[in-house]
Amino acid sequence: MQESAALFSFLQANGIQSMQQLHEKIADMNSRYYDLRGKIVKAERRVAVLTERGEMWEQYNQYKAVHKQLAKVKPEKRELFEQRHSRELILYDAAARYLKELKASGEEITPKEWQREIDLLTAQKQVDTIDMKAMREELKTVERLRKAADQLTRQERDKPRNRGPER
């Protein structure tokens, strides 16, 4: 009885008068759910790209001083310096190469903008995730209602027809 009442309430609230309209409503809800899910995934990918850029920028700045020191080292002590600081120099070179390629591709090196975009995307993703969870719960409820409606339809269809007394 409760499911029937909930079904009737949902159908009435959404102006649904046929099983076809119910199925269309569910398809529309699923479509909106997966669109939102796609938006969240896209934001996550963008955050990952921007985070990598920020990390490479930090790495570049962290080891820039060691690279500058290398330029000042006398030729006879250069090999020893490179051995002692090989890790830092390798990390600096990797970051410098990454940033150079980024710049060559037409991107600007804007760490503050990257962080602002990360913050914005993260906040929007949190809102979207809450919306998506609510949509998922609504979809579960509507699916249960659809099953109840299908069952009611089958029961009505399978009821024996009362044709009056047989002769």
Side-chain angles (χ1 to χ4, degrees), residues 36-166:
L36 187 57
R37 187 168 181 260
K39 181 180 173 188
I40 291 169
V41 168
K42 185 178 176 184
E44 288 171 342
R45 287 183 184 142
R46 179 70 178 157
V47 166
V49 166
L50 294 171
T51 300
E52 180 183 32
R53 289 178 182 179
E55 289 169 352
M56 291 307 256
W57 175 253
E58 287 176 21
Q59 184 174 305
Y60 174 82
N61 285 314
Q62 183 178 355
Y63 300 115
K64 186 169 33 175
V66 175
H67 187 264
K68 283 184 179 180
Q69 281 180 332
L70 177 63
K72 296 176 185 175
V73 172
K74 294 178 182 170
E76 62 272 3
K77 294 184 179 181
R78 187 175 180 93
E79 189 176 330
L80 182 60
F81 185 88
E82 286 176 340
Q83 286 175 357
R84 286 188 180 152
H85 299 282
S86 64
R87 180 181 174 278
E88 293 98 332
L89 292 170
I90 289 169
L91 291 171
Y92 171 83
D93 288 341
R97 221 176 12 263
Y98 178 91
L99 294 170
K100 184 179 178 182
E101 288 172 10
L102 190 62
K103 220 174 184 180
S105 73
E107 290 285 334
E108 291 186 35
I109 308 299
T110 54
K112 288 179 183 176
E113 285 296 319
W114 297 337
Q115 190 57 52
R116 264 193 289 272
E117 189 177 349
I118 287 171
D119 294 343
L120 181 68
L121 288 168
T122 301
Q124 185 61 52
K125 183 182 149 236
Q126 289 173 340
V127 169
D128 290 344
T129 299
I130 291 167
D131 290 347
M132 191 176 89
K133 286 179 182 176
M135 289 173 88
R136 184 172 38 234
E137 289 307 311
E138 188 179 11
L139 273 166
K140 284 180 186 176
T141 301
V142 171
E143 276 297 324
R144 279 196 303 274
L145 294 175
R146 183 195 57 78
K147 286 178 185 174
D150 285 344
Q151 189 175 12
L152 287 172
T153 303
R154 274 195 305 279
Q155 286 174 355
E156 284 297 315
R157 188 183 59 225
D158 295 344
K159 259 187 192 174
R161 305 285 186 244
N162 199 0
R163 298 183 188 152
E166 298 230 357

